[in-house]
């Protein structure tokens, strides 16, 4: 069963996730490195330590920020 989430303001289906999936699975599904990501789930920032406990539900709103290195060389 597919799960539809609102990711960074856009409704998006995730066919490999279900309503019992945890936030850490979403990070893996997006192909992001966990040490460079901050996530807000339904208006609450979720610490990385709680990703494996945070259950996703249909229509959840997530803001995902991926930090990228760079600067002057």
């Amino acid at each position: 069963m597919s799960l539809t989430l609102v990711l960074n303001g856009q409704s998006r289906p995730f066919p490999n996730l279900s309503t019992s999936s945890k936030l850490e699975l979403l990070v893996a599904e997006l192909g992001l490195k966990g040490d460079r990501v901050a996530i807000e789930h339904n208006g609450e920032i979720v610490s990385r330590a709680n990703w494996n406990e945070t259950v996703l539900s249909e229509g959840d709103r997530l803001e995902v920020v991926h930090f990228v290195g760079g600067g002057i060389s």
Side-chain angles (χ1 to χ4, degrees), residues 31-50:
L32 300 173
K33 292 186 176 199
D35 63 342
R36 297 183 182 184
V37 175
I39 301 176
E40 182 181 281
H41 176 244
N42 294 328
E44 301 281 330
I45 294 176
V46 181
S47 71
R48 192 173 302 119
N50 293 327

Side-chain angles (χ1 to χ4, degrees), residues 2-7 10-15 26 29-30 58:
S2 178
L3 181 66
T4 300
L5 303 169
V6 179
L7 182 64
Q10 299 290 318
S11 182
R12 181 171 164 183
F14 288 90
L26 174 65
E29 182 75 14
L30 293 170
E58 184 71 21

